[in-house]
Amino acid sequence: MDNNKKRIVLVTGATGGLGTAMCKKLYDDGFLVVGNFRSSSKAEEWKNEMKNGGYEIELFKGDVSDFDSAGQMIKEIESTVGPVDTLVNNAGITRDSRLINMKREDWYEVINTNLNSVFNCTKHVLPGMIERKFGRIINISSVNGQRGQFGQTNYSAAKAGMHGFTKSLAMEVAKSGITVNTISPGYIATDMVMAVPAKVLDQIVAQVPMGRLGGTWEVAHLVCFLASEETSFITGANYSINGGQHVY
Ligand code: CAA
Ligand code: NAP
């Protein structure tokens, strides 16, 4: 397909575990994929690995927890690649501890990176989407934003906040051909989850009816589904993907 006709997808936190899988699957599905990264150290290596695997994916530097940095990055993408049709708000961090021990910066860093980033990026792509009467906004939340998790008051608050954002914005832009949805993954095998102490993680996996961690490709598949043209009547929704860990 001619690159000029492809839908452009921006994945934030592209070089992470889930971001990488999303970029590959979106590329395989025929999207023009651009990724965001924060730390330069990984970027070149990541791009080379992608290229060796047959994936031509441009990376753009930006700190999504910062409004101006996110805006600058999106401006650069739109002037060099083209307008962003689909935004996947995927970048995120954990700073786990019980609230009693939580440092003030661990609260703010998580809220800024996991929740304020959604505002910071969406705000900059939305006017163009409204003008073009098409858009897909996909917010990567978490099972722990649905049900809470011991040691994650900051993370669960940010991820739960995404649901309110999704539902409200979905109503505001429904008539502009833009859908806004949330995906809530359970525990997926990436560096983020592998940082959980092994003993604690074993206990968590034991509570998953499927008895295993999720695969990054499984979440990537759902992202592609929501990014597709055919899901135009799905908006304000949340998709759980957690192996049965949280059913309601
Ligand atoms: N429920 C109830 N009590 C618990 C508990 C739990 N889940 N976990 C620990 N406790 C209790 C302990 O038994 C202990 O009790 P006592 O003092 O009576 O012995 C007390 O809490 C303190 O436990 P720790 O010494 O382990 O506490 P800590 O402060 O050193 O560590 C923690 C706490 C950092 C939260 C650690 O338990 C941890 O890392 N937990 C995992 C949190 C988690 O699931 N994070 C997910 C990261 S991945 C991700 O976020 C992706 C996603 O979206 C799914
Ligand atoms: P990961 O491998 O740690 O990747 C996270 C990515 O986010 C990294 O590329 C990281 O870049 C990037 N990032 C962090 N802060 C950023 C910032 N300020 N600006 C730009 N990029 C930033 O984790 P993951 O498991 O793939 O997680 C991806 C998303 O899925 C997160 O939002 C996470 O909360 C969510 N999620 C994960 C799971 C899971 O089980 N893995 C479950 C539910 C939800 P650097 O490497 O440069 O820091």
Side-chain angles (χ1 to χ4, degrees), residues 12 17 25 29 60-61 73 102 106 131 147-148 150 166 198 216 220 228 242 246:
T12 68
K25 179 79 172 96
D29 279 14
F60 290 82
K61 193 175 170 78
M73 171 189 69
M102 190 174 287
D106 290 342
E131 207 177 298
R147 61 163 203 164
F150 189 101
T166 294
T216 54
S228 69
N242 61 38
H246 178 65

Side-chain angles (χ1 to χ4, degrees), residues 11-188:
V11 178
T12 68
T15 61
L18 279 170
T20 301
M22 288 171 195
C23 286
K24 286 183 176 174
K25 179 79 172 96
L26 286 160
Y27 190 95
D28 288 341
D29 279 14
F31 290 94
L32 201 167
V33 185
V34 293
N36 147 256
F37 74 103
R38 178 178 58 163
S39 328
S40 306
S41 58
K42 285 190 203 158
E44 269 317 299
E45 197 188 328
W46 187 90
K47 255 174 76 169
N48 288 337
E49 266 177 34
M50 286 292 127
K51 205 168 178 178
N52 292 340
Y55 297 94
E56 293 286 348
I57 297 171
E58 272 305 315
L59 281 182
F60 290 82
K61 193 175 170 78
D63 177 354
V64 297
S65 70
D66 180 271
F67 185 76
D68 293 331
S69 177
Q72 190 53 44
M73 171 189 69
I74 286 162
K75 205 168 156 194
E76 201 186 327
I77 293 169
E78 301 214 315
S79 63
T80 57
V81 182
V84 175
D85 298 302
T86 297
L87 168 66
V88 186
N89 283 309
N90 167 68
I93 57 168
T94 52
R95 295 288 181 269
D96 295 352
S97 72
R98 287 176 286 151
L99 187 72
I100 194 76
N101 296 329
M102 190 174 287
K103 295 193 201 85
R104 188 172 162 172
E105 56 267 30
D106 290 342
W107 174 266
Y108 285 108
E109 221 184 313
V110 168
I111 300 295
N112 286 336
T113 307
N114 296 8
L115 181 59
N116 290 340
S117 61
V118 176
F119 171 80
N120 295 340
C121 293
T122 307
K123 184 78 178 147
H124 289 105
V125 297
L126 199 65
M129 288 180 174
I130 292 172
E131 207 177 298
R132 295 187 302 278
K133 297 214 162 300
F134 180 87
R136 297 276 183 273
I137 295 166
I138 303 166
N139 298 320
I140 308 301
S141 181
S142 165
V143 65
N144 293 343
Q146 297 174 288
R147 61 163 203 164
Q149 170 63 31
F150 189 101
Q152 288 202 307
T153 49
N154 49 3
Y155 185 89
S156 297
K159 294 297 187 182
M162 279 183 167
H163 295 298
F165 179 96
T166 294
K167 290 186 274 191
S168 301
L169 184 62
M171 290 175 184
E172 292 178 17
V173 296
K175 285 196 174 144
S176 301
I178 301 167
T179 66
V180 191
N181 293 293
T182 303
I183 292 177
S184 294
Y187 284 68
I188 315 295

